[in-house]
Amino acid sequence: MFRRWSLWVVFFACWCLLWKSACTGSPAPNEGVQESQSRVEAEASEPVLETTDASQPEPRSEPQMEPEREPVPEPQPEPQPEPKAELPPRPPPVPFPSSYPPIEGGTILKDENPDPNIVEVKLEAKAMMHQLTPKHNFEIYAFNGMLPGPIIKAKLGDQLIVHFTNSLKEPTTIHWHGQRVPEAMDGAPMVQAPVKPGETFTYRFKIRDAGTYWYHPHVRSHYQVEKGLYGMLIVQETQPLAFTRERAVVLDDILLTDSGLAPFNTTDDDKIKGRLGSQLLINGKPVPVAYQAKTGERERWRLVNTANARVFRLEIKGAVSEVRVIGVDSGLLAQPYVLRPPFTLAPGQRLDLEVMYEKPGKVEFIAEVAVGAKYEERSLLSVDVTGDAVSTPMAYPQYPVIPPLPTRQVTRQETLTFEQLQTPDSGGNHWSINGQVNPGKPLFEFKTGDVVLFTLRHLGGPSHPFHLHGQFFEIVSRNGLPVTDEPGLRDTVLVTLQERVVIKAYLDNPGRWMFHCHNLEHAAFGMMAHILVK
């Protein structure tokens, strides 16, 4: 009886399965397998064409019934912020004026030559007592009795003649930082015998590059620059630009004791970190310094960092809506760009800024100074802007057309490796370039016109502002990534710890040319060499 009942159950189950297949049209199990196999064989026998997804016909499918669902309320759009109103466009640039704007921030050295294309001046280096603060009266070295030295002003293409007298008790020279001068005029001791006490020397060269430059000794630079021997060289373009004024901004620091100048290099730490000053200076004066301006005025700020070792971390705040970088080491850029805070300025570097006062208030130039593990803000310079806000955006000045960067083929590739010695050598040096300390022979020899990719490798110690005499270069990459925010031609680039910086140098100026770290203690204690361009 039980077996007969089981047979009926099996028969009923098979009948149900056949009925379901007939109703739904589903293939029997074997039919589906055979159809799949035949389809695969057919596809394998046909040639395969590579097509994009968009060219493939989509397989057709029978519409399927979706199970009924409860209605879902449509999502409501999130409230969107009101679109920001676009700033009105600036009017066309202000054309070139007929005269150059005045320069503030220093004393302009008198030109003694009546020829409009010759600038002839006199400089004297001399020791003198200087009252920096009410409690700091000490000996400095000064050009023409000023701290910093007077501003030498010329224009592109001028012949510059500087009659120099050394009234110090030690030898010295003048190096024209950033200017592509003949090697005999560079002020480096290997190409110019240092000017002895009581002697004179005349520097004479044609100015090839407009922009912001500076001058300083290249004999015991870490000592003589800190003592006060430095000044700004301003080379104006052949066409005046429509600024209300130009403002010289010489950044520096100085290391003081309670009553005077701190002694030099008393510890190995001084030689490793460099001489970081305890007092910040703007144009030779303790900060902060204050100036006045009016709404509607335009200024060109010429910045130069003359400190021995301090890398300035800077910001401009307050009543100024936009600041643009218009120039770097080599002069004006082909395309100005908006300055993003904070920005750095390493020893030896320069920047030209376009500052326009469109509303009243105070503009603050701030340095972020490292104190322990954090930064503290120190006011360097303030501008009190008076008057009514301008009703429409101000126009930029018109700038001359600057040619784009060269596109010449690279002819050589070399590597410069900066290292800290494990222990000082017999001469007290702490630094080397490519394993050599102040080598007397050229590290490399090149031909005039060579385009060289230098890879700068920093293997240890504080940052190195690398400076190349007599030539310009562009910054190509940092740690393998293309550089897009450091445009223009340079003569100084900051290389930080464990960084790999590639620069492209255009060696168009024949001669023997020094390159070194512009942390002046690093240069004094080993990190200096030279190349020969034949």
Short mmCIF file of all heavy atoms in Angstrom, two decimals, residues 90 104 243-247 249 290-301 316-323 353-365 381-396:
data_model
loop_
_atom_site.label_atom_id
_atom_site.label_comp_id
_atom_site.label_asym_id
_atom_site.label_seq_id
_atom_site.Cartn_x
_atom_site.Cartn_y
_atom_site.Cartn_z
N ARG A 90 37.66 93.70 -14.77
CA ARG A 90 38.50 94.89 -14.63
C ARG A 90 38.58 95.60 -15.98
O ARG A 90 38.53 94.98 -17.03
CB ARG A 90 39.90 94.49 -14.16
CG ARG A 90 39.92 93.94 -12.74
CD ARG A 90 41.32 93.75 -12.21
NE ARG A 90 41.31 93.19 -10.87
CZ ARG A 90 41.19 93.90 -9.75
NH1 ARG A 90 41.10 95.22 -9.83
NH2 ARG A 90 41.18 93.32 -8.57
N GLU A 104 60.22 104.18 -2.85
CA GLU A 104 60.28 104.41 -1.40
C GLU A 104 60.87 103.18 -0.72
O GLU A 104 60.88 102.09 -1.29
CB GLU A 104 58.89 104.72 -0.85
CG GLU A 104 58.29 106.01 -1.39
CD GLU A 104 56.97 106.36 -0.73
OE1 GLU A 104 56.54 105.64 0.19
OE2 GLU A 104 56.35 107.36 -1.15
N PHE A 243 52.52 102.48 -12.00
CA PHE A 243 52.37 102.35 -10.55
C PHE A 243 52.44 103.73 -9.91
O PHE A 243 53.15 104.62 -10.39
CB PHE A 243 53.47 101.46 -9.97
CG PHE A 243 53.30 100.01 -10.29
CD1 PHE A 243 54.05 99.41 -11.29
CD2 PHE A 243 52.40 99.23 -9.58
CE1 PHE A 243 53.90 98.06 -11.59
CE2 PHE A 243 52.23 97.89 -9.87
CZ PHE A 243 52.98 97.30 -10.86
N THR A 244 51.71 103.90 -8.82
CA THR A 244 51.81 105.15 -8.07
C THR A 244 53.20 105.29 -7.48
O THR A 244 53.78 106.37 -7.46
CB THR A 244 50.77 105.17 -6.93
OG1 THR A 244 49.48 104.87 -7.47
CG2 THR A 244 50.75 106.52 -6.24
N ARG A 245 53.75 104.16 -6.99
CA ARG A 245 55.10 104.14 -6.44
C ARG A 245 55.62 102.70 -6.45
O ARG A 245 54.85 101.75 -6.56
CB ARG A 245 55.12 104.69 -5.01
CG ARG A 245 54.43 103.82 -3.99
CD ARG A 245 54.36 104.48 -2.61
NE ARG A 245 53.60 105.73 -2.63
CZ ARG A 245 52.27 105.78 -2.52
NH1 ARG A 245 51.56 104.67 -2.43
NH2 ARG A 245 51.66 106.94 -2.55
N GLU A 246 56.93 102.58 -6.32
CA GLU A 246 57.57 101.29 -6.07
C GLU A 246 58.05 101.29 -4.64
O GLU A 246 58.52 102.32 -4.12
CB GLU A 246 58.73 101.06 -7.04
CG GLU A 246 58.30 100.98 -8.50
CD GLU A 246 59.43 100.60 -9.43
OE1 GLU A 246 60.56 100.38 -8.93
OE2 GLU A 246 59.20 100.50 -10.65
N ARG A 247 57.92 100.14 -3.98
CA ARG A 247 58.29 100.06 -2.56
C ARG A 247 59.37 98.98 -2.39
O ARG A 247 59.12 97.80 -2.64
CB ARG A 247 57.08 99.72 -1.69
CG ARG A 247 57.35 99.90 -0.22
CD ARG A 247 56.08 99.70 0.60
NE ARG A 247 55.03 100.65 0.29
CZ ARG A 247 55.01 101.91 0.69
NH1 ARG A 247 56.04 102.40 1.39
NH2 ARG A 247 54.00 102.70 0.39
N VAL A 249 61.41 96.49 -0.32
CA VAL A 249 61.17 95.76 0.92
C VAL A 249 62.31 94.76 1.09
O VAL A 249 62.31 93.68 0.50
CB VAL A 249 59.81 95.03 0.91
CG1 VAL A 249 59.57 94.33 2.24
CG2 VAL A 249 58.68 96.00 0.60
N ALA A 290 55.81 101.17 9.39
CA ALA A 290 54.49 101.62 8.92
C ALA A 290 54.63 102.60 7.78
O ALA A 290 55.56 103.44 7.75
CB ALA A 290 53.73 102.26 10.07
N TYR A 291 53.69 102.49 6.82
CA TYR A 291 53.64 103.39 5.67
C TYR A 291 52.20 103.86 5.47
O TYR A 291 51.27 103.34 6.09
CB TYR A 291 54.16 102.70 4.41
CG TYR A 291 55.61 102.28 4.47
CD1 TYR A 291 55.95 100.95 4.67
CD2 TYR A 291 56.63 103.21 4.33
CE1 TYR A 291 57.29 100.55 4.72
CE2 TYR A 291 57.95 102.83 4.38
CZ TYR A 291 58.28 101.50 4.58
OH TYR A 291 59.59 101.13 4.65
N GLN A 292 52.03 104.82 4.57
CA GLN A 292 50.72 105.38 4.26
C GLN A 292 50.42 105.19 2.77
O GLN A 292 51.33 105.18 1.93
CB GLN A 292 50.67 106.89 4.58
CG GLN A 292 51.08 107.25 6.00
CD GLN A 292 50.07 106.81 7.02
OE1 GLN A 292 48.87 106.89 6.77
NE2 GLN A 292 50.54 106.36 8.17
N ALA A 293 49.13 105.05 2.44
CA ALA A 293 48.71 104.99 1.04
C ALA A 293 47.26 105.45 0.97
O ALA A 293 46.58 105.61 1.99
CB ALA A 293 48.85 103.58 0.48
N LYS A 294 46.77 105.66 -0.25
CA LYS A 294 45.38 106.09 -0.47
C LYS A 294 44.68 105.10 -1.39
O LYS A 294 45.32 104.43 -2.21
CB LYS A 294 45.35 107.49 -1.09
CG LYS A 294 45.90 108.59 -0.19
CD LYS A 294 45.83 109.95 -0.88
CE LYS A 294 46.37 111.04 0.04
NZ LYS A 294 46.33 112.39 -0.63
N THR A 295 43.37 105.02 -1.24
CA THR A 295 42.60 104.15 -2.12
C THR A 295 42.77 104.61 -3.57
O THR A 295 42.89 105.81 -3.85
CB THR A 295 41.11 104.17 -1.75
OG1 THR A 295 40.65 105.53 -1.71
CG2 THR A 295 40.87 103.52 -0.39
N GLY A 296 42.79 103.64 -4.46
CA GLY A 296 42.99 103.93 -5.87
C GLY A 296 44.44 103.93 -6.30
O GLY A 296 44.74 104.06 -7.49
N GLU A 297 45.37 103.74 -5.34
CA GLU A 297 46.79 103.73 -5.67
C GLU A 297 47.26 102.29 -5.95
O GLU A 297 46.74 101.33 -5.41
CB GLU A 297 47.62 104.34 -4.54
CG GLU A 297 47.37 105.83 -4.36
CD GLU A 297 48.24 106.45 -3.30
OE1 GLU A 297 48.68 105.72 -2.37
OE2 GLU A 297 48.48 107.67 -3.37
N ARG A 298 48.27 102.21 -6.81
CA ARG A 298 48.91 100.94 -7.15
C ARG A 298 50.36 100.98 -6.73
O ARG A 298 51.05 101.98 -6.96
CB ARG A 298 48.85 100.66 -8.65
CG ARG A 298 47.48 100.61 -9.25
CD ARG A 298 47.57 100.49 -10.77
NE ARG A 298 46.25 100.61 -11.39
CZ ARG A 298 45.64 101.75 -11.64
NH1 ARG A 298 46.26 102.91 -11.35
NH2 ARG A 298 44.45 101.78 -12.20
N GLU A 299 50.83 99.88 -6.15
CA GLU A 299 52.23 99.82 -5.74
C GLU A 299 52.89 98.55 -6.29
O GLU A 299 52.24 97.50 -6.42
CB GLU A 299 52.37 99.82 -4.22
CG GLU A 299 52.00 101.14 -3.58
CD GLU A 299 52.34 101.20 -2.10
OE1 GLU A 299 52.64 100.14 -1.50
OE2 GLU A 299 52.29 102.31 -1.54
N ARG A 300 54.15 98.69 -6.58
CA ARG A 300 54.99 97.53 -6.94
C ARG A 300 55.93 97.28 -5.76
O ARG A 300 56.80 98.08 -5.47
CB ARG A 300 55.80 97.82 -8.21
CG ARG A 300 56.74 96.69 -8.62
CD ARG A 300 57.47 97.07 -9.90
NE ARG A 300 58.29 95.98 -10.43
CZ ARG A 300 58.87 96.00 -11.62
NH1 ARG A 300 58.72 97.07 -12.42
NH2 ARG A 300 59.59 94.98 -12.04
N TRP A 301 55.69 96.17 -5.06
CA TRP A 301 56.56 95.80 -3.95
C TRP A 301 57.71 94.96 -4.50
O TRP A 301 57.49 93.92 -5.15
CB TRP A 301 55.80 95.00 -2.91
CG TRP A 301 54.82 95.81 -2.10
CD1 TRP A 301 54.31 97.03 -2.40
CD2 TRP A 301 54.22 95.42 -0.86
NE1 TRP A 301 53.43 97.45 -1.43
CE2 TRP A 301 53.35 96.47 -0.47
CE3 TRP A 301 54.31 94.29 -0.05
CZ2 TRP A 301 52.59 96.42 0.70
CZ3 TRP A 301 53.56 94.23 1.12
CH2 TRP A 301 52.71 95.29 1.49
N ILE A 316 50.16 88.36 3.22
CA ILE A 316 49.65 89.73 3.18
C ILE A 316 48.17 89.68 3.52
O ILE A 316 47.40 88.97 2.86
CB ILE A 316 49.88 90.38 1.81
CG1 ILE A 316 51.38 90.46 1.51
CG2 ILE A 316 49.28 91.77 1.76
CD1 ILE A 316 51.73 91.00 0.14
N LYS A 317 47.78 90.40 4.55
CA LYS A 317 46.40 90.37 5.04
C LYS A 317 45.80 91.77 5.04
O LYS A 317 46.49 92.77 4.90
CB LYS A 317 46.36 89.82 6.47
CG LYS A 317 46.77 88.38 6.63
CD LYS A 317 46.63 87.95 8.09
CE LYS A 317 46.90 86.48 8.28
NZ LYS A 317 46.73 86.07 9.71
N GLY A 318 44.48 91.81 5.26
CA GLY A 318 43.82 93.08 5.51
C GLY A 318 43.13 93.67 4.30
O GLY A 318 42.56 92.94 3.47
N ALA A 319 43.21 94.99 4.17
CA ALA A 319 42.42 95.74 3.20
C ALA A 319 43.02 95.68 1.80
O ALA A 319 43.31 96.70 1.18
CB ALA A 319 42.29 97.19 3.66
N VAL A 320 43.19 94.47 1.31
CA VAL A 320 43.65 94.29 -0.07
C VAL A 320 42.98 93.02 -0.58
O VAL A 320 43.03 91.97 0.05
CB VAL A 320 45.19 94.19 -0.15
CG1 VAL A 320 45.74 93.04 0.68
CG2 VAL A 320 45.67 94.12 -1.58
N SER A 321 42.29 93.15 -1.71
CA SER A 321 41.49 92.02 -2.20
C SER A 321 42.31 91.03 -3.01
O SER A 321 42.00 89.84 -3.03
CB SER A 321 40.33 92.54 -3.07
OG SER A 321 40.82 93.35 -4.12
N GLU A 322 43.35 91.47 -3.65
CA GLU A 322 44.12 90.59 -4.53
C GLU A 322 45.53 91.11 -4.66
O GLU A 322 45.76 92.29 -4.86
CB GLU A 322 43.44 90.53 -5.90
CG GLU A 322 44.15 89.65 -6.92
CD GLU A 322 43.45 89.71 -8.28
OE1 GLU A 322 43.80 90.60 -9.09
OE2 GLU A 322 42.56 88.89 -8.52
N VAL A 323 46.50 90.21 -4.53
CA VAL A 323 47.90 90.53 -4.76
C VAL A 323 48.41 89.58 -5.84
O VAL A 323 48.18 88.37 -5.76
CB VAL A 323 48.75 90.39 -3.49
CG1 VAL A 323 50.22 90.61 -3.79
CG2 VAL A 323 48.27 91.37 -2.41
N LEU A 353 55.70 92.15 -6.48
CA LEU A 353 54.27 92.01 -6.25
C LEU A 353 53.52 93.24 -6.72
O LEU A 353 54.01 94.37 -6.58
CB LEU A 353 53.98 91.79 -4.75
CG LEU A 353 54.70 90.63 -4.07
CD1 LEU A 353 54.29 90.55 -2.60
CD2 LEU A 353 54.44 89.31 -4.78
N GLU A 354 52.32 93.01 -7.24
CA GLU A 354 51.40 94.08 -7.65
C GLU A 354 50.35 94.21 -6.55
O GLU A 354 49.58 93.28 -6.31
CB GLU A 354 50.77 93.70 -8.98
CG GLU A 354 49.67 94.61 -9.47
CD GLU A 354 48.91 93.92 -10.60
OE1 GLU A 354 48.03 93.08 -10.30
OE2 GLU A 354 49.21 94.19 -11.77
N VAL A 355 50.34 95.35 -5.86
CA VAL A 355 49.43 95.58 -4.75
C VAL A 355 48.57 96.79 -5.08
O VAL A 355 49.09 97.89 -5.33
CB VAL A 355 50.20 95.82 -3.43
CG1 VAL A 355 49.24 96.02 -2.26
CG2 VAL A 355 51.16 94.66 -3.14
N MET A 356 47.23 96.60 -5.10
CA MET A 356 46.31 97.69 -5.43
C MET A 356 45.36 97.91 -4.26
O MET A 356 44.78 96.96 -3.72
CB MET A 356 45.54 97.36 -6.71
CG MET A 356 46.44 97.13 -7.91
SD MET A 356 45.59 97.20 -9.52
CE MET A 356 44.45 95.85 -9.37
N TYR A 357 45.22 99.18 -3.88
CA TYR A 357 44.41 99.54 -2.72
C TYR A 357 43.02 99.98 -3.19
O TYR A 357 42.86 101.09 -3.71
CB TYR A 357 45.09 100.65 -1.93
CG TYR A 357 46.50 100.29 -1.50
CD1 TYR A 357 47.59 101.02 -1.97
CD2 TYR A 357 46.73 99.24 -0.63
CE1 TYR A 357 48.88 100.70 -1.57
CE2 TYR A 357 48.02 98.91 -0.22
CZ TYR A 357 49.08 99.65 -0.70
OH TYR A 357 50.36 99.33 -0.31
N GLU A 358 42.03 99.09 -3.01
CA GLU A 358 40.69 99.37 -3.50
C GLU A 358 39.71 99.74 -2.38
O GLU A 358 38.57 100.11 -2.67
CB GLU A 358 40.16 98.16 -4.28
CG GLU A 358 41.00 97.88 -5.52
CD GLU A 358 40.49 96.69 -6.34
OE1 GLU A 358 40.38 95.59 -5.78
OE2 GLU A 358 40.19 96.89 -7.53
N LYS A 359 40.15 99.61 -1.14
CA LYS A 359 39.28 99.96 -0.02
C LYS A 359 40.13 100.46 1.14
O LYS A 359 41.32 100.10 1.25
CB LYS A 359 38.44 98.75 0.41
CG LYS A 359 39.25 97.52 0.77
CD LYS A 359 38.35 96.33 1.05
CE LYS A 359 39.16 95.06 1.32
NZ LYS A 359 38.30 93.89 1.57
N PRO A 360 39.54 101.29 2.02
CA PRO A 360 40.32 101.80 3.15
C PRO A 360 40.53 100.71 4.20
O PRO A 360 39.81 99.73 4.26
CB PRO A 360 39.46 102.94 3.68
CG PRO A 360 38.06 102.57 3.29
CD PRO A 360 38.17 101.84 1.98
N GLY A 361 41.53 100.93 5.05
CA GLY A 361 41.83 99.99 6.12
C GLY A 361 43.33 99.79 6.24
O GLY A 361 44.13 100.57 5.71
N LYS A 362 43.71 98.73 6.92
CA LYS A 362 45.13 98.45 7.15
C LYS A 362 45.53 97.18 6.40
O LYS A 362 44.85 96.16 6.46
CB LYS A 362 45.41 98.27 8.64
CG LYS A 362 46.88 97.99 8.97
CD LYS A 362 47.16 98.02 10.46
CE LYS A 362 47.16 99.45 10.98
NZ LYS A 362 47.63 99.53 12.37
N VAL A 363 46.64 97.27 5.69
CA VAL A 363 47.24 96.12 5.02
C VAL A 363 48.42 95.67 5.87
O VAL A 363 49.29 96.48 6.22
CB VAL A 363 47.69 96.47 3.60
CG1 VAL A 363 48.41 95.29 2.95
CG2 VAL A 363 46.50 96.90 2.75
N GLU A 364 48.45 94.38 6.22
CA GLU A 364 49.50 93.85 7.08
C GLU A 364 50.35 92.84 6.31
O GLU A 364 49.83 91.92 5.69
CB GLU A 364 48.88 93.15 8.31
CG GLU A 364 48.21 94.09 9.28
CD GLU A 364 49.17 94.73 10.28
OE1 GLU A 364 50.37 94.41 10.21
OE2 GLU A 364 48.72 95.53 11.09
N PHE A 365 51.67 93.04 6.38
CA PHE A 365 52.63 92.09 5.83
C PHE A 365 53.18 91.29 7.00
O PHE A 365 53.85 91.84 7.89
CB PHE A 365 53.74 92.86 5.10
CG PHE A 365 54.69 91.99 4.32
CD1 PHE A 365 54.28 90.82 3.71
CD2 PHE A 365 56.02 92.38 4.18
CE1 PHE A 365 55.16 90.05 2.97
CE2 PHE A 365 56.91 91.61 3.44
CZ PHE A 365 56.47 90.45 2.85
N LEU A 381 55.37 94.79 8.32
CA LEU A 381 55.10 96.06 7.66
C LEU A 381 53.59 96.25 7.62
O LEU A 381 52.84 95.30 7.40
CB LEU A 381 55.69 96.01 6.25
CG LEU A 381 55.56 97.16 5.28
CD1 LEU A 381 56.71 97.10 4.27
CD2 LEU A 381 54.25 97.14 4.51
N SER A 382 53.15 97.48 7.84
CA SER A 382 51.73 97.79 7.70
C SER A 382 51.57 99.04 6.84
O SER A 382 52.43 99.93 6.85
CB SER A 382 51.07 98.00 9.07
OG SER A 382 51.59 99.15 9.70
N VAL A 383 50.47 99.06 6.09
CA VAL A 383 50.14 100.22 5.26
C VAL A 383 48.76 100.70 5.67
O VAL A 383 47.78 99.93 5.58
CB VAL A 383 50.16 99.86 3.76
CG1 VAL A 383 49.83 101.10 2.92
CG2 VAL A 383 51.51 99.28 3.35
N ASP A 384 48.67 101.93 6.12
CA ASP A 384 47.40 102.53 6.50
C ASP A 384 46.79 103.18 5.26
O ASP A 384 47.29 104.18 4.76
CB ASP A 384 47.62 103.56 7.61
CG ASP A 384 46.31 104.11 8.15
OD1 ASP A 384 45.27 103.45 7.94
OD2 ASP A 384 46.33 105.19 8.78
N VAL A 385 45.71 102.58 4.75
CA VAL A 385 45.09 103.03 3.50
C VAL A 385 43.89 103.91 3.85
O VAL A 385 42.96 103.47 4.54
CB VAL A 385 44.64 101.83 2.64
CG1 VAL A 385 44.06 102.32 1.32
CG2 VAL A 385 45.80 100.88 2.40
N THR A 386 43.90 105.13 3.38
CA THR A 386 42.82 106.08 3.67
C THR A 386 42.10 106.44 2.37
O THR A 386 42.62 106.28 1.27
CB THR A 386 43.37 107.35 4.33
OG1 THR A 386 44.33 107.96 3.45
CG2 THR A 386 44.03 107.03 5.65
N GLY A 387 40.86 106.96 2.53
CA GLY A 387 40.07 107.37 1.38
C GLY A 387 38.83 106.51 1.23
O GLY A 387 38.58 105.59 2.03
N ASP A 388 38.03 106.80 0.23
CA ASP A 388 36.81 106.05 -0.04
C ASP A 388 37.11 104.83 -0.90
O ASP A 388 38.00 104.87 -1.75
CB ASP A 388 35.78 106.94 -0.74
CG ASP A 388 35.35 108.11 0.13
OD1 ASP A 388 35.33 107.94 1.37
OD2 ASP A 388 35.06 109.19 -0.43
N ALA A 389 36.33 103.78 -0.68
CA ALA A 389 36.49 102.57 -1.51
C ALA A 389 36.21 102.92 -2.96
O ALA A 389 35.32 103.74 -3.27
CB ALA A 389 35.55 101.48 -1.02
N VAL A 390 36.94 102.30 -3.87
CA VAL A 390 36.72 102.55 -5.29
C VAL A 390 35.38 101.93 -5.69
O VAL A 390 34.96 100.90 -5.18
CB VAL A 390 37.86 101.97 -6.14
CG1 VAL A 390 39.17 102.65 -5.80
CG2 VAL A 390 37.97 100.47 -5.96
N SER A 391 34.68 102.57 -6.61
CA SER A 391 33.34 102.11 -6.99
C SER A 391 33.38 100.95 -7.97
O SER A 391 32.45 100.15 -8.04
CB SER A 391 32.55 103.28 -7.60
OG SER A 391 33.25 103.82 -8.72
N THR A 392 34.44 100.82 -8.75
CA THR A 392 34.60 99.72 -9.71
C THR A 392 36.00 99.16 -9.56
O THR A 392 36.91 99.86 -9.10
CB THR A 392 34.38 100.19 -11.16
OG1 THR A 392 35.32 101.23 -11.45
CG2 THR A 392 32.97 100.72 -11.35
N PRO A 393 36.20 97.90 -9.94
CA PRO A 393 37.54 97.32 -9.83
C PRO A 393 38.58 98.14 -10.58
O PRO A 393 38.31 98.70 -11.63
CB PRO A 393 37.38 95.93 -10.45
CG PRO A 393 35.93 95.61 -10.31
CD PRO A 393 35.21 96.91 -10.45
N MET A 394 39.77 98.19 -10.00
CA MET A 394 40.85 98.96 -10.61
C MET A 394 41.47 98.19 -11.77
O MET A 394 41.47 96.96 -11.79
CB MET A 394 41.92 99.28 -9.55
CG MET A 394 41.46 100.21 -8.45
SD MET A 394 42.66 100.34 -7.10
CE MET A 394 44.12 100.89 -7.96
N ALA A 395 42.02 98.93 -12.70
CA ALA A 395 42.70 98.32 -13.85
C ALA A 395 44.12 97.95 -13.47
O ALA A 395 44.77 98.64 -12.66
CB ALA A 395 42.71 99.29 -15.02
N TYR A 396 44.58 96.84 -14.03
CA TYR A 396 45.99 96.49 -13.87
C TYR A 396 46.86 97.43 -14.70
O TYR A 396 46.40 97.99 -15.70
CB TYR A 396 46.23 95.06 -14.37
CG TYR A 396 45.50 93.97 -13.62
CD1 TYR A 396 44.75 93.02 -14.31
CD2 TYR A 396 45.58 93.88 -12.24
CE1 TYR A 396 44.09 92.00 -13.64
CE2 TYR A 396 44.92 92.87 -11.55
CZ TYR A 396 44.18 91.93 -12.26
OH TYR A 396 43.53 90.93 -11.59
#
